[in-house]
Amino acid sequence: MATMHDVARLAQVSVSTVSYVLTGTRPISQATRNKVLAAMAQLDYQPNAMARGLASRRSRILGLLMPMDERGLGATETAFVTGAAAAASVAGYHLVLSPVGGGDLDDLRRLASQRMLDGVVLMEVQLADERVTVLQEAGVPLVLIGRTDDTSTLSYVDIDFDQTVREAVAHLAGLGHRRIVYVNHSAATLASGYGPALRTRDAFTAAMTGHGLEPVMIAAEDSAAGGRAALAAAFAQAPELTAVLAMNETAIFGILGELTGRGLSVPDDVSVVSMVTSPQVAELATPALTAMTSPGSALGRIAIEALTRHLDGPADLRHQQLLPCTLEIRGSTAAPRSRQPMVADK
């Protein structure tokens, strides 16, 4: 592999001159520049990323800021990352994943001040997300996967939760279900202002009301135990329930386990729809879950494409786009059959 010294010898210039051609930090005559570029082409010399970054005043590194807990990334979250990483690579950038959440503002300020990242994609967005303010004040270009309450000055891509929930409820109502319970994320997550949890809550209420049905929402901790507890609470509130819609991928398997423990089968006794889910997760269950499939890979890709356009385009460029989840019918939904209402646990 050719080095900068090889280029300098062939072009009959100093190593520092080759460096100046690469970085643009000093003026070089066109004749000398042409000699250096010809030598680079003859030797198939590939300047390293640091040199290219100096030349363009960019690091060629983008950040994906995604809060994580001890569970790490599941298949659904991974789709966002792989979509973003592939798009960054196509655009000639490296993508760095950083688990910076709303409680890590000092870490975020330090990261922004180091100017290591040319731009940032922000995930797990809250309606009032202080990370947005920190990045804007630091002058870091950003695109959201998600939405704050006020998006007038922001670029974002997000799931169209209104359409997604509306289609999920329509699927269950179309099968004849009249008592549908929505299992959301935890009460703490709702209280934190997490956008998807609040938007789906409101969309569920609107969709059920539109069908003349009573909305019942249960908050669940993000765990299998949380799913079991949520289903017990659901039966306490709606003993005659025949369908569960859930946007809590960790809790969904606890819901299925609790149904089995109560002697109820899916979908004969209770239908289940998992929302914002990857096919890999949906097919882990028995029966495989009917799901509103997450467009995670597409959202990751579009966010990076929008961010790279910001880096090269005008400062007031905005990209705002919503994508719905796609209904994929598998084995966990069917028309309801009559059964005795479940008696709530004492």
Side-chain angles (χ1 to χ4, degrees):
M1 182 179 294
T3 67
M4 194 181 296
H5 288 83
D6 297 329
V7 173
R9 278 195 296 271
L10 183 59
Q12 296 183 326
V13 298
S14 67
V15 172
S16 60
T17 298
V18 175
S19 176
Y20 297 150
V21 170
L22 289 171
T23 63
T25 52
R26 289 193 183 181
I28 300 294
S29 71
Q30 191 59 50
T32 301
R33 179 181 299 276
N34 289 342
K35 282 201 306 179
V36 171
L37 294 176
M40 289 170 58
Q42 183 176 334
L43 295 170
D44 192 26
Y45 173 70
Q46 301 294 322
N48 62 34
M50 182 68 75
R52 290 196 302 270
L54 288 170
S56 64
R57 302 297 192 272
R58 291 184 184 174
S59 66
R60 309 300 296 183
I61 299 173
L62 304 176
L64 181 63
L65 306 189
M66 183 177 186
M68 288 184 286
D69 57 23
E70 64 277 0
R71 293 182 294 109
L73 295 180
T76 302
E77 296 96 339
T78 299
F80 288 89
V81 178
T82 55
S89 179
V90 168
Y93 287 84
H94 295 287
L95 185 71
V96 173
L97 179 62
S98 180
V100 178
D104 305 318
L105 296 182
D106 288 340
D107 289 343
L108 183 57
R109 289 187 182 94
R110 282 192 291 272
L111 180 63
S113 68
Q114 291 168 355
R115 301 294 175 183
M116 294 173 57
L117 304 176
D118 291 337
V120 160
V121 171
L122 200 61
M123 291 191 63
E124 301 295 293
V125 177
Q126 298 175 342
L127 296 186
D129 201 311
E130 293 182 275
R131 295 174 299 168
V132 172
T133 303
V134 169
L135 292 167
Q136 287 180 322
E137 289 177 348
V140 178
L142 76 154
V143 172
L144 310 184
I145 298 180
R147 285 167 285 163
T148 56
D149 198 29
D150 178 8
T151 58
S152 57
T153 63
L154 296 170
S155 286
Y156 66 80
V157 291
D158 197 8
I159 292 173
D160 187 334
F161 290 107
D162 288 341
Q163 181 176 338
T164 296
V165 174
R166 189 164 57 245
E167 290 184 2
V169 170
H171 170 62
L172 292 170
L175 290 171
H177 293 279
R178 293 295 175 263
R179 202 59 167 142
I180 304 167
V181 172
Y182 175 41
V183 177
N184 203 333
H185 286 284
S186 69
T189 299
L190 286 159
S192 74
Y194 180 51
L198 294 170
R199 288 192 168 95
T200 54
R201 177 199 63 187
D202 296 342
F204 178 71
T205 298
M208 291 288 284
T209 302
H211 285 277
L213 304 175
E214 180 186 353
V216 176
M217 189 202 80
I218 304 293
E221 296 297 325
D222 294 349
S223 66
R228 295 187 192 95
L231 191 69
F235 276 120
Q237 283 191 239
E240 69 279 22
L241 76 86
T242 62
V244 175
L245 172 64
M247 190 185 69
N248 190 321
E249 205 167 74
T250 310
I252 193 76
F253 292 98
I255 292 171
L256 295 173
E258 182 68 14
L259 286 170
T260 299
R262 289 170 177 259
L264 299 174
S265 67
V266 176
D268 294 334
D269 295 310
V270 177
S271 287
V272 177
V273 175
S274 185
M275 198 163 60
V276 192
T277 299
S278 68
Q280 295 92 324
V281 171
E283 290 166 6
L284 286 174
T286 303
L289 294 170
T290 293
M292 301 303 298
T293 299
S294 168
S297 181
L299 290 173
R301 172 182 57 79
I302 294 168
I304 292 293
E305 291 171 349
L307 181 57
T308 55
R309 285 197 299 272
H310 285 336
L311 296 176
D312 297 324
D316 59 351
L317 185 66
R318 298 284 178 269
H319 183 98
Q320 299 183 342
Q321 183 176 358
L322 298 178
L323 294 180
C325 294
T326 303
L327 174 63
E328 294 194 35
I329 300 173
R330 297 185 179 89
S332 67
T333 52
R337 68 180 186 183
S338 60
R339 61 172 171 80
Q340 291 295 110
M342 295 294 293
V343 178
D345 293 334
K346 299 292 185 183

XYZ file of all heavy atoms in Angstrom, residues 220-315:
662
model
N -47.635 -0.806 31.032
C -46.899 -2.021 31.422
C -45.413 -1.730 31.519
O -44.846 -1.049 30.658
C -47.147 -3.144 30.413
N -44.781 -2.258 32.526
C -43.326 -2.204 32.603
C -42.728 -2.988 31.434
O -43.328 -3.942 30.925
C -42.836 -2.801 33.926
C -43.282 -2.037 35.153
C -42.743 -0.617 35.196
O -41.594 -0.405 34.740
O -43.463 0.279 35.663
N -41.537 -2.576 31.007
C -40.908 -3.203 29.842
C -40.218 -4.498 30.240
O -38.986 -4.604 30.262
C -39.906 -2.240 29.200
C -40.580 -1.019 28.606
O -41.816 -1.028 28.511
O -39.871 -0.067 28.232
N -41.021 -5.504 30.545
C -40.497 -6.812 30.932
C -41.598 -7.837 30.758
O -42.785 -7.494 30.659
C -40.017 -6.807 32.386
O -41.116 -6.614 33.262
N -41.200 -9.120 30.741
C -42.206 -10.176 30.665
C -43.114 -10.128 31.884
O -44.340 -10.293 31.775
C -41.528 -11.537 30.546
N -42.534 -9.888 33.059
C -43.349 -9.770 34.270
C -44.319 -8.605 34.159
O -45.473 -8.692 34.606
C -42.448 -9.599 35.488
N -43.855 -7.526 33.550
C -44.736 -6.383 33.330
C -45.898 -6.731 32.427
O -47.020 -6.257 32.620
N -45.648 -7.570 31.419
C -46.717 -8.000 30.534
C -47.750 -8.840 31.252
O -48.967 -8.685 31.046
N -47.275 -9.738 32.129
C -48.206 -10.559 32.896
C -49.075 -9.683 33.806
O -50.302 -9.869 33.891
C -47.437 -11.583 33.729
C -46.681 -12.615 32.907
C -46.077 -13.702 33.803
N -45.141 -14.519 33.057
C -43.827 -14.323 33.030
N -43.281 -13.351 33.756
N -43.044 -15.102 32.316
N -48.437 -8.751 34.482
C -49.182 -7.861 35.380
C -50.167 -7.002 34.601
O -51.293 -6.748 35.066
C -48.209 -6.982 36.161
N -49.775 -6.571 33.413
C -50.657 -5.732 32.595
C -51.894 -6.509 32.166
O -53.009 -5.972 32.167
C -49.897 -5.218 31.377
N -51.706 -7.772 31.796
C -52.865 -8.548 31.373
C -53.807 -8.800 32.544
O -55.037 -8.741 32.394
C -52.439 -9.873 30.744
C -53.586 -10.606 30.048
C -54.029 -9.869 28.805
C -53.218 -12.039 29.709
N -53.238 -9.057 33.719
C -54.087 -9.218 34.905
C -54.885 -7.944 35.163
O -56.089 -7.997 35.467
C -53.229 -9.573 36.115
N -54.244 -6.794 35.004
C -54.938 -5.518 35.189
C -55.991 -5.313 34.110
O -57.074 -4.764 34.371
C -53.934 -4.371 35.170
N -55.687 -5.768 32.884
C -56.654 -5.639 31.793
C -57.916 -6.433 32.079
O -59.039 -5.945 31.884
C -56.012 -6.104 30.485
N -57.766 -7.671 32.565
C -58.940 -8.474 32.892
C -59.709 -7.898 34.072
O -60.932 -8.032 34.159
C -58.535 -9.919 33.176
C -58.407 -10.763 31.941
C -57.196 -11.371 31.626
C -59.478 -10.940 31.083
C -57.075 -12.153 30.484
C -59.367 -11.711 29.945
C -58.167 -12.321 29.636
N -59.006 -7.231 34.984
C -59.691 -6.597 36.110
C -60.577 -5.454 35.623
O -61.681 -5.235 36.145
C -58.669 -6.089 37.120
N -60.104 -4.715 34.610
C -60.871 -3.594 34.076
C -61.889 -4.028 33.036
O -62.955 -3.421 32.914
C -59.931 -2.558 33.449
C -59.220 -1.679 34.452
C -58.527 -0.506 33.774
O -57.321 -0.336 33.884
N -59.286 0.304 33.057
N -61.562 -5.056 32.271
C -62.431 -5.488 31.171
C -62.465 -7.012 31.129
O -61.810 -7.629 30.285
C -61.925 -4.911 29.854
N -63.208 -7.658 32.034
C -63.214 -9.125 32.107
C -63.635 -9.793 30.799
O -63.258 -10.937 30.544
C -64.221 -9.417 33.227
C -64.295 -8.152 34.022
C -64.069 -7.044 33.056
N -64.404 -9.083 29.978
C -64.904 -9.664 28.738
C -64.005 -9.357 27.542
O -64.413 -9.569 26.391
C -66.326 -9.142 28.469
C -66.414 -7.673 28.105
C -66.362 -6.710 29.290
O -65.855 -7.096 30.368
O -66.827 -5.570 29.124
N -62.782 -8.896 27.757
C -61.908 -8.523 26.639
C -61.670 -9.721 25.716
O -61.563 -10.868 26.160
C -60.587 -7.947 27.138
C -59.490 -8.877 27.698
C -58.589 -9.437 26.598
C -58.632 -8.132 28.719
N -61.593 -9.422 24.423
C -61.331 -10.472 23.429
C -60.112 -10.171 22.566
O -59.732 -10.999 21.735
C -62.541 -10.661 22.497
O -62.783 -9.430 21.781
C -63.777 -11.074 23.279
N -59.505 -8.991 22.755
C -58.341 -8.649 21.932
C -57.407 -7.725 22.694
O -57.852 -6.869 23.475
C -58.775 -7.990 20.619
N -56.125 -7.910 22.452
C -55.089 -7.070 23.056
C -54.231 -6.494 21.946
O -53.737 -7.222 21.070
C -54.199 -7.882 24.025
C -53.048 -7.016 24.539
C -55.015 -8.424 25.189
N -54.062 -5.186 21.973
C -53.137 -4.473 21.102
C -51.992 -3.995 21.986
O -52.239 -3.373 23.018
C -53.839 -3.286 20.439
C -52.992 -2.298 19.636
C -52.360 -2.982 18.435
C -53.837 -1.114 19.187
N -50.760 -4.322 21.627
C -49.630 -3.991 22.504
C -48.515 -3.305 21.738
O -48.154 -3.744 20.645
C -49.090 -5.253 23.175
N -47.990 -2.224 22.301
C -46.763 -1.614 21.792
C -45.730 -1.661 22.911
O -45.331 -0.649 23.473
C -46.975 -0.176 21.320
C -45.746 0.366 20.564
S -45.854 2.101 20.096
C -45.771 2.892 21.699
N -45.345 -2.864 23.252
C -44.348 -3.077 24.295
C -43.743 -4.440 24.006
O -44.211 -5.465 24.500
C -44.971 -3.018 25.687
C -43.946 -2.992 26.791
O -42.928 -3.679 26.705
N -44.199 -2.212 27.830
N -42.713 -4.436 23.191
C -42.188 -5.685 22.648
C -41.638 -6.610 23.730
O -41.681 -7.833 23.588
C -41.087 -5.350 21.631
C -40.857 -6.409 20.593
C -40.013 -5.887 19.464
O -38.785 -5.721 19.665
O -40.557 -5.631 18.382
N -41.136 -6.057 24.803
C -40.613 -6.881 25.888
C -41.740 -7.508 26.691
O -41.641 -8.652 27.146
C -39.720 -6.037 26.811
O -38.769 -5.322 26.023
C -38.971 -6.917 27.799
N -42.822 -6.761 26.842
C -43.948 -7.252 27.636
C -44.828 -8.241 26.879
O -45.557 -9.019 27.510
C -44.802 -6.071 28.106
N -44.758 -8.242 25.554
C -45.706 -9.046 24.775
C -45.615 -10.532 25.113
O -46.622 -11.239 25.161
C -45.497 -8.805 23.258
C -46.675 -9.374 22.453
C -44.204 -9.417 22.764
C -47.903 -8.542 22.522
N -44.397 -11.020 25.397
C -44.261 -12.448 25.695
C -44.797 -12.774 27.086
O -45.275 -13.886 27.333
C -42.803 -12.883 25.528
C -42.374 -12.820 24.086
C -41.671 -11.724 23.600
C -42.704 -13.829 23.203
C -41.312 -11.646 22.260
C -42.334 -13.771 21.865
C -41.641 -12.676 21.394
N -44.765 -11.811 27.993
C -45.424 -11.995 29.278
C -46.939 -12.035 29.121
O -47.629 -12.808 29.806
N -47.470 -11.222 28.212
C -48.912 -11.245 27.920
C -49.318 -12.617 27.396
O -50.303 -13.210 27.844
C -49.253 -10.142 26.905
C -49.074 -8.762 27.536
C -50.670 -10.315 26.370
C -49.171 -7.613 26.555
N -48.532 -13.142 26.454
C -48.845 -14.459 25.895
C -48.756 -15.547 26.974
O -49.594 -16.450 27.031
C -47.892 -14.769 24.743
C -48.003 -13.852 23.514
C -46.889 -14.157 22.521
C -49.369 -13.982 22.851
N -47.738 -15.443 27.823
C -47.592 -16.426 28.899
C -48.732 -16.371 29.883
O -49.220 -17.412 30.359
N -49.201 -15.171 30.210
C -50.310 -15.022 31.147
C -51.605 -15.576 30.558
O -52.408 -16.197 31.269
C -50.484 -13.551 31.526
C -51.575 -13.261 32.530
C -51.291 -13.802 33.923
O -50.132 -14.189 34.200
O -52.231 -13.824 34.750
N -51.802 -15.376 29.265
C -52.987 -15.939 28.621
C -52.971 -17.464 28.720
O -53.979 -18.099 29.053
C -53.054 -15.497 27.161
C -53.456 -14.042 26.923
C -53.246 -13.658 25.456
C -54.908 -13.797 27.327
N -51.808 -18.056 28.439
C -51.686 -19.509 28.540
C -51.933 -19.974 29.971
O -52.629 -20.972 30.208
C -50.287 -19.952 28.076
O -50.101 -19.573 26.708
C -50.125 -21.455 28.206
N -51.382 -19.240 30.940
C -51.570 -19.607 32.340
C -53.018 -19.552 32.777
O -53.424 -20.248 33.722
N -53.824 -18.732 32.115
C -55.242 -18.632 32.440
C -56.088 -19.610 31.624
O -57.324 -19.564 31.671
C -55.725 -17.195 32.199
C -55.185 -16.195 33.210
C -55.487 -14.758 32.808
N -55.019 -13.828 33.827
C -55.792 -13.242 34.747
N -57.101 -13.478 34.763
N -55.285 -12.413 35.633
N -55.409 -20.463 30.861
C -56.135 -21.445 30.068
C -56.780 -20.873 28.830
O -57.721 -21.463 28.282
N -56.289 -19.730 28.354
C -56.842 -19.073 27.168
C -55.895 -19.265 25.992
O -54.669 -19.164 26.139
C -57.050 -17.584 27.429
C -58.023 -17.237 28.563
C -58.031 -15.750 28.833
C -59.430 -17.725 28.228
N -56.459 -19.530 24.839
C -55.626 -19.749 23.654
C -55.687 -18.524 22.744
O -56.674 -17.778 22.719
C -56.088 -20.992 22.888
O -57.370 -20.782 22.316
N -54.602 -18.356 21.992
C -54.494 -17.287 20.992
C -54.504 -17.947 19.617
O -53.727 -18.869 19.363
C -53.175 -16.490 21.191
C -52.999 -15.448 20.102
C -53.127 -15.850 22.577
N -55.415 -17.566 18.725
C -56.368 -16.449 18.815
C -57.790 -16.873 19.176
O -58.694 -16.042 19.117
C -56.336 -15.911 17.390
C -56.219 -17.154 16.552
C -55.339 -18.090 17.343
N -58.015 -18.155 19.523
C -59.390 -18.624 19.718
C -60.117 -17.860 20.815
O -61.296 -17.519 20.673
C -59.390 -20.124 20.044
C -58.903 -20.970 18.876
O -59.039 -20.494 17.731
O -58.385 -22.076 19.105
N -59.424 -17.609 21.920
C -60.055 -16.888 23.035
C -59.722 -15.402 23.031
O -60.592 -14.571 23.305
C -59.613 -17.507 24.365
C -60.096 -18.935 24.526
O -61.303 -19.170 24.327
O -59.266 -19.822 24.823
N -58.481 -15.079 22.760
C -58.040 -13.679 22.751
C -57.118 -13.471 21.550
O -56.157 -14.222 21.370
C -57.292 -13.301 24.052
C -56.783 -11.858 23.976
C -58.197 -13.480 25.266
N -57.408 -12.469 20.749
C -56.524 -12.095 19.652
C -55.477 -11.106 20.162
O -55.740 -10.311 21.073
C -57.321 -11.453 18.509
O -58.081 -12.414 17.811
N -54.289 -11.162 19.564
C -53.183 -10.291 19.987
C -52.543 -9.667 18.756
O -52.216 -10.371 17.791
C -52.119 -11.077 20.783
C -50.946 -10.166 21.150
C -52.732 -11.693 22.037
N -52.361 -8.348 18.788
C -51.637 -7.621 17.747
C -50.463 -6.909 18.406
O -50.640 -6.172 19.385
C -52.533 -6.591 17.029
C -51.709 -5.768 16.033
C -53.675 -7.281 16.303
N -49.266 -7.145 17.887
C -48.074 -6.449 18.380
C -47.770 -5.287 17.445
O -47.713 -5.457 16.232
C -46.889 -7.414 18.437
O -45.764 -6.782 19.014
N -47.568 -4.112 18.018
C -47.418 -2.903 17.217
C -45.982 -2.369 17.270
O -45.340 -2.404 18.307
C -48.398 -1.841 17.723
C -48.667 -0.723 16.739
S -50.163 0.179 17.180
C -49.730 0.767 18.819
N -45.519 -1.887 16.118
C -44.149 -1.398 15.940
C -43.177 -2.532 16.263
O -42.372 -2.469 17.187
C -43.853 -0.138 16.795
C -42.539 0.496 16.356
C -44.981 0.877 16.683
N -43.278 -3.580 15.489
C -42.558 -4.830 15.730
C -41.861 -5.274 14.456
O -42.344 -5.017 13.354
C -43.546 -5.925 16.193
O -44.167 -5.518 17.404
C -42.865 -7.256 16.411
N -40.735 -5.953 14.603
C -40.037 -6.520 13.454
C -40.577 -7.922 13.158
O -41.080 -8.604 14.059
C -38.540 -6.617 13.733
O -38.289 -7.579 14.745
N -40.481 -8.366 11.908
C -40.905 -9.736 11.589
C -40.156 -10.780 12.418
O -40.732 -11.808 12.794
C -40.571 -9.867 10.096
C -40.618 -8.473 9.572
C -40.094 -7.625 10.697
N -38.885 -10.528 12.715
C -38.101 -11.493 13.489
C -38.714 -11.715 14.864
O -38.792 -12.853 15.350
C -36.647 -11.007 13.637
C -35.884 -10.925 12.334
C -35.973 -9.549 11.701
O -37.007 -8.891 11.775
N -34.889 -9.126 11.076
N -39.166 -10.641 15.510
C -39.783 -10.772 16.829
C -41.169 -11.396 16.706
O -41.538 -12.279 17.487
C -39.855 -9.402 17.532
C -40.682 -9.487 18.809
C -38.450 -8.892 17.842
N -41.942 -10.954 15.717
C -43.302 -11.481 15.556
C -43.300 -12.983 15.349
O -44.200 -13.693 15.823
C -43.986 -10.782 14.386
N -42.290 -13.483 14.660
C -42.265 -14.912 14.347
C -41.650 -15.764 15.454
O -41.615 -16.992 15.345
C -41.529 -15.111 13.021
C -42.351 -14.573 11.837
C -41.553 -14.436 10.554
O -40.385 -14.874 10.543
O -42.104 -13.881 9.580
N -41.190 -15.136 16.533
C -40.700 -15.899 17.680
C -41.842 -16.530 18.468
O -41.652 -17.529 19.155
C -39.892 -14.987 18.615
C -38.493 -14.566 18.152
C -37.918 -13.554 19.135
C -37.569 -15.763 18.021
N -43.007 -15.916 18.394
C -44.139 -16.375 19.200
C -44.843 -17.553 18.526
O -44.707 -17.785 17.327
C -45.123 -15.225 19.406
N -45.589 -18.298 19.322
C -46.442 -19.373 18.817
C -47.859 -19.142 19.346
O -48.071 -19.185 20.562
C -45.937 -20.752 19.275
O -44.586 -20.930 18.837
C -46.797 -21.856 18.686
N -48.815 -18.839 18.456
C -48.636 -18.653 17.016
C -47.886 -17.356 16.703
O -47.777 -16.483 17.564
C -50.075 -18.588 16.498
C -50.836 -18.000 17.660
C -50.203 -18.598 18.887
N -47.374 -17.278 15.466
C -46.696 -16.047 15.054
C -47.662 -14.867 15.159
O -48.863 -14.995 14.905
C -46.189 -16.196 13.618
N -47.118 -13.725 15.565
C -47.962 -12.577 15.894
C -48.386 -11.785 14.664
O -47.549 -11.418 13.823
C -47.210 -11.638 16.839
C -46.897 -12.166 18.236
C -45.948 -11.232 18.959
C -48.191 -12.339 19.038
N -49.665 -11.513 14.588
C -50.115 -10.453 13.695
C -49.503 -9.154 14.212
O -49.521 -8.891 15.417
C -51.650 -10.363 13.691
O -52.181 -11.546 13.088
C -52.128 -9.147 12.915
N -48.951 -8.354 13.308
C -48.182 -7.194 13.769
C -48.329 -6.003 12.835
O -48.579 -6.157 11.638
C -46.700 -7.559 13.897
N -48.193 -4.849 13.428
C -47.969 -3.628 12.666
C -46.453 -3.496 12.566
O -45.772 -3.102 13.521
C -48.589 -2.422 13.372
C -50.092 -2.534 13.615
S -51.054 -2.792 12.098
C -50.694 -1.288 11.179
N -45.921 -3.880 11.393
C -44.477 -4.023 11.233
C -43.795 -2.667 11.138
O -44.181 -1.804 10.344
C -44.171 -4.859 9.981
O -44.746 -6.151 10.148
C -42.664 -4.999 9.778
N -42.769 -2.497 11.950
C -42.031 -1.237 12.017
C -41.249 -0.977 10.736
O -40.577 -1.868 10.222
C -41.060 -1.280 13.197
O -40.139 -0.203 13.132
N -41.283 0.263 10.226
C -40.447 0.635 9.087
C -39.066 1.111 9.538
O -38.529 2.092 9.030
C -41.241 1.774 8.435
C -41.884 2.465 9.601
C -42.177 1.376 10.624
N -38.481 0.410 10.529
C -37.258 0.892 11.175
C -36.107 1.110 10.232
O -35.419 2.143 10.283
N -35.845 0.149 9.350
C -34.718 0.289 8.429
C -34.892 1.497 7.517
O -33.947 2.257 7.282
C -34.560 -0.994 7.605
O -33.467 -0.886 6.723
N -36.115 1.689 7.011
C -36.377 2.838 6.136
C -36.226 4.149 6.896
O -35.664 5.126 6.369
C -37.773 2.729 5.544
N -36.699 4.201 8.138
C -36.562 5.423 8.931
C -35.101 5.754 9.194
O -34.687 6.919 9.112
C -37.321 5.282 10.247
C -38.846 5.272 10.154
C -39.459 4.952 11.511
C -39.374 6.602 9.645
N -34.294 4.731 9.523
C -32.864 4.965 9.728
C -32.195 5.499 8.473
O -31.383 6.441 8.523
N -32.522 4.889 7.335
C -31.931 5.323 6.062
C -32.334 6.755 5.715
O -31.485 7.587 5.369
C -32.365 4.377 4.948
C -31.979 4.835 3.543
C -32.461 3.885 2.464
N -33.899 3.674 2.505
C -34.791 4.532 2.009
N -34.390 5.683 1.463
N -36.090 4.262 2.072
N -33.627 7.056 5.815
C -34.116 8.385 5.439
C -33.526 9.457 6.351
O -33.186 10.558 5.899
C -35.657 8.416 5.478
C -36.228 7.500 4.394
C -36.178 9.829 5.293
C -37.714 7.236 4.544
N -33.385 9.142 7.641
C -32.812 10.120 8.575
C -31.380 10.488 8.193
O -30.993 11.659 8.207
C -32.859 9.572 9.999
N -30.576 9.474 7.854
C -29.189 9.750 7.459
C -29.147 10.521 6.143
O -28.353 11.462 5.975
C -28.395 8.436 7.342
C -28.204 7.804 8.727
C -27.030 8.675 6.670
C -27.322 8.595 9.674
N -29.981 10.138 5.190
C -30.007 10.856 3.913
C -30.389 12.312 4.118
O -29.809 13.211 3.487
C -30.984 10.173 2.956
C -30.503 8.806 2.477
C -31.551 8.036 1.696
O -32.732 8.461 1.701
O -31.206 7.004 1.088
N -31.359 12.571 4.996
C -31.749 13.950 5.289
C -30.612 14.706 5.967
O -30.350 15.881 5.664
C -32.997 13.963 6.174
N -29.909 14.032 6.887
C -28.809 14.680 7.599
C -27.674 15.049 6.648
O -27.126 16.157 6.722
C -28.293 13.760 8.708
C -27.156 14.300 9.571
C -27.536 15.609 10.238
C -26.751 13.264 10.625
N -27.312 14.157 5.743
C -26.212 14.478 4.816
C -26.611 15.598 3.855
O -25.768 16.390 3.460
C -25.780 13.224 4.027
O -26.912 12.650 3.354
C -25.181 12.186 4.969
N -27.899 15.684 3.523
C -28.349 16.824 2.707
C -28.208 18.123 3.485
O -27.842 19.163 2.927
C -29.796 16.634 2.252
C -29.971 15.615 1.134
C -31.332 15.768 0.454
N -32.432 15.553 1.380
C -32.959 14.361 1.639
N -32.477 13.265 1.049
N -33.965 14.241 2.482
N -28.496 18.086 4.784
C -28.318 19.277 5.617
C -26.863 19.731 5.621
O -26.576 20.938 5.595
C -28.745 18.979 7.059
C -30.230 18.924 7.249
N -31.111 19.558 6.425
C -30.989 18.299 8.182
C -32.349 19.342 6.833
N -32.304 18.557 7.893
N -25.954 18.781 5.673
C -24.528 19.127 5.751
C -24.057 19.831 4.488
O -23.134 20.650 4.533
C -23.703 17.859 5.990
C -23.966 17.139 7.319
C -23.158 15.853 7.382
C -23.629 18.041 8.501
N -24.681 19.507 3.364
C -24.255 20.088 2.088
C -25.192 21.172 1.572
O -24.877 21.850 0.596
C -24.168 18.983 1.017
C -23.119 17.940 1.357
O -22.076 18.323 1.913
O -23.363 16.741 1.091
N -26.358 21.331 2.219
C -27.367 22.241 1.695
C -27.513 23.499 2.516
O -26.729 23.774 3.428
N -28.555 24.284 2.233
C -28.782 25.536 2.967
C -29.163 25.277 4.416
O -29.720 24.230 4.758
C -29.956 26.179 2.197
C -30.628 25.041 1.485
C -29.549 24.059 1.164
N -28.889 26.250 5.263
C -29.106 26.082 6.701
C -30.574 25.902 7.055
O -30.900 25.295 8.069
C -28.532 27.284 7.445
